[in-house]
């Protein structure tokens, strides 16, 4: 095998990678359905555990496709195999804590082992092969917990799987360190622009799947003024969440990654941020279903937590990323999160339709403010680059 650092070549996102992302975005609706079926803290914890499993496999495979060059035939075959396993795994989300734990865990374990061992063997440089051996060691710690949880009854299964999910997510966040062996990302040749585009498109697909979930809720509800208004209001909220990133924010991300000395680090942070981003969209989708099904009913704490907590997770993740990188464009996002928190408390005594309209007011104001803030940040970055 050639040791050429082909991962450093700039490549466009392939159609196969988009196809792959669709399989994992499918999980948004599945997770929302699982949470909506029984609103409880335990169900929320189960949903979080499965969300971590889904995103960890997406993150590992996406990095593999970038490092190993998705245009190579054997890398494409790897992605296709993971797609098949991932489709079956994601299809079992509603049943994983019921009667089909093995149907969820076996494909998950197969994906973790397949992508890690393959990358450890195929990676183009010794440094990268060493890194993926550490990734394999982390998988060796989590997979037995996933398997043990599947063998348990429904009650204790959550604890075993939560421990496994914590290992997988921590590994992704910290780049799978071992004692005295830590990833030196500055020394890696990495197609950062490719992964930035992957993240951008993945967020679009997540938002699109959220719209589909909302559309299903609208379809199931009666056609009257309150329902139509609530449905349109939720749609406006999703559009605003999209605009909060895509009206200039994505350009800041691309500009920062292109100019920083360590291009892998901000991309790693952006990938780590997909966990709360997806969790926020799942929560919003369930909150939207509650609001659309009973727009003039009584408010409650569950509705306030989901309808406003989802956007908080989505927006505060952006605030964290902007603060840790550019130190700009984070304050207005934090203010919007505080406003959503206050509105979530008030939602207990408001009809769901009123809560939706308040959410729209907060998010529209956020987008208008961010349009100006992003323009200012980009102007500053351009001026700095020119000097």
């Amino acid at each position: 095998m050639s040791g050429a650092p082909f991962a450093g070549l700039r490549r466009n996102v392939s159609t196969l990678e988009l196809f792959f992302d669709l399989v994992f975005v499918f999980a948004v609706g599945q997770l929302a359905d699982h949470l909506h079926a029984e609103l409880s803290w335990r169900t929320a914890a189960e949903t979080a555990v499965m969300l971590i499993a889904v995103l960890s496999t997406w993150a590992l495979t996406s990095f593999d496709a970038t490092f190993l060059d998705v245009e190579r035939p054997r890398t494409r075959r790897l992605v296709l195999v993971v797609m098949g396993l991932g489709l079956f795994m994601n299809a079992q989300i509603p049943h994983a804590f019921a009667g089909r734990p093995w149907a969820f865990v076996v494909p998950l374990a197969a994906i973790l082992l397949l992508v890690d061992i393959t990358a450890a063997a195929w990676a183009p440089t010794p440094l990268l092969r060493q890194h993926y051996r550490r990734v394999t060691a982390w998988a060796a710690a989590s997979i037995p917990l996933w398997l043990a949880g599947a063998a348990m009854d429904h009650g204790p299964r959550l604890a075993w799987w939560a421990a496994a999910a914590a290992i997988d997510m921590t590994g992704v966040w910290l780049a799978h360190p071992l004692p005295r062996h830590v990833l030196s990302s500055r020394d890696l040749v990495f197609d950062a622009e490719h992964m930035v585009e992957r993240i951008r498109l993945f967020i679009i697909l997540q938002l699109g799947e959220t719209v589909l979930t909302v559309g299903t809720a609208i379809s199931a509800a009666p056609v009257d003024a309150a329902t139509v208004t609530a449905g349109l209001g939720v749609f406006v909220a999703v559009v605003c969440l999209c605009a909060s990133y895509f009206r200039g924010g994505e350009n800041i991300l691309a500009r920062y990654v292109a100019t920083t000395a360590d291009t892998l680090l901000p991309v790693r942070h952006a990938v780590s941020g997909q966990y709360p981003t997806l969790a926020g969209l799942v929560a919003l989708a369930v909150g939207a279903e509650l609001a659309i099904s009973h727009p003039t009913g009584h408010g409650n704490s569950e509705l306030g937590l989901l309808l406003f907590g989802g956007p908080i997770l989505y927006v505060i993740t952006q605030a964290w990323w902007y603060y840790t990188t550019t130190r700009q464009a984070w304050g207005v996002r934090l203010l919007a999160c505080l406003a959503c928190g206050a509105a979530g408390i008030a939602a207990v005594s408001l009809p769901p339709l009123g809560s939706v309209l308040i959410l729209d007011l907060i998010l529209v104001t956020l987008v208008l403010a961010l349009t100006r803030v992003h323009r200012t940040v980009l102007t500053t970055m351009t001026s700095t680059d020119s000097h």
Side-chain angles (χ1 to χ4, degrees), residues 235-248:
F235 174 71
V236 169
V238 176
V239 170
C240 287
L241 291 179
C242 178
S244 71
Y245 176 71
F246 289 100
R247 286 184 62 85

Side-chain angles (χ1 to χ4, degrees), residues 12 20 53 248 348 373:
N12 294 324
F20 170 83
V348 175
V373 170

Side-chain angles (χ1 to χ4, degrees), residues 37 46 51 105 140 161 172 210-211 228 258 293 317 384:
E46 293 174 356
L51 182 149
V105 160
W161 281 6
V172 172
T210 305
V211 170
V228 171
S293 60
T317 302
T384 302

Side-chain angles (χ1 to χ4, degrees), residues 20 56-66 79 82 111 115 198:
F20 170 83
S56 295
T57 54
W58 174 84
L60 290 171
T61 310
S62 296
F63 274 119
D64 279 9
T66 302
V79 172
V82 173
I111 292 172
V115 298
R198 284 295 307 275

Side-chain angles (χ1 to χ4, degrees), residues 192-201 250 253-254 257 267:
E193 294 181 23
H194 180 84
M195 275 301 293
V196 167
E197 183 68 7
R198 284 295 307 275
I199 294 166
R200 172 182 176 273
L201 295 174
E250 59 173 332
L253 171 61
V257 170
V267 172

Side-chain angles (χ1 to χ4, degrees), residues 14-181:
S14 69
T15 53
L16 177 60
E17 288 173 298
L18 286 175
F19 194 22
F20 170 83
D21 287 351
L22 284 173
V23 169
F24 285 85
V25 169
F26 161 59
V28 173
Q30 295 287 86
L31 293 166
D33 288 344
H34 181 77
L35 180 58
H36 187 248
E38 181 185 346
L39 289 176
S40 67
W41 287 112
R42 180 182 175 87
T43 306
E46 293 174 356
T47 305
V49 164
M50 292 187 288
L51 182 149
I52 291 170
V54 168
L55 270 178
S56 295
T57 54
W58 174 84
L60 290 171
T61 310
S62 296
F63 274 119
D64 279 9
T66 302
F67 279 124
L68 304 182
D69 187 2
V70 74
E71 297 302 327
R72 292 200 164 197
R74 61 185 178 187
T75 305
R76 295 175 69 85
R77 289 193 292 269
L78 170 66
V79 172
L80 284 169
V81 171
V82 173
M83 280 177 61
L85 292 169
L87 178 62
F88 193 88
M89 178 185 75
N90 294 338
Q92 304 308 312
I93 286 173
H95 315 289
F97 280 92
R100 305 180 192 171
W102 291 104
F104 178 79
V105 160
V106 169
L108 170 61
I111 292 172
L112 292 175
L113 286 175
L114 180 64
V115 298
D116 296 345
I117 293 175
T118 299
W122 293 355
T125 66
L127 181 63
L128 197 54
R129 289 194 292 272
Q130 183 183 59
H131 166 66
Y132 274 105
R133 285 194 289 270
R134 294 195 296 271
V135 178
T136 305
W138 277 72
S142 71
I143 288 174
L145 298 177
W146 286 113
L147 297 176
M152 298 289 173
D153 292 332
H154 175 265
R157 183 176 303 146
L158 177 59
W160 286 89
W161 281 6
I167 292 174
D168 288 340
M169 184 172 66
T170 303
V172 172
W173 280 359
L174 302 181
H176 302 92
L178 289 178
R180 293 184 293 180
H181 294 281

Side-chain angles (χ1 to χ4, degrees), residues 25 30 52 84 154 162 164 171 173 190 216 258 274 306 314 357 367 377:
V25 169
Q30 295 287 86
I52 291 170
H154 175 265
W173 280 359
F190 179 68
T216 302
Q274 296 308 300
L306 293 166
Y314 183 96
L357 296 178
V367 170
V377 172

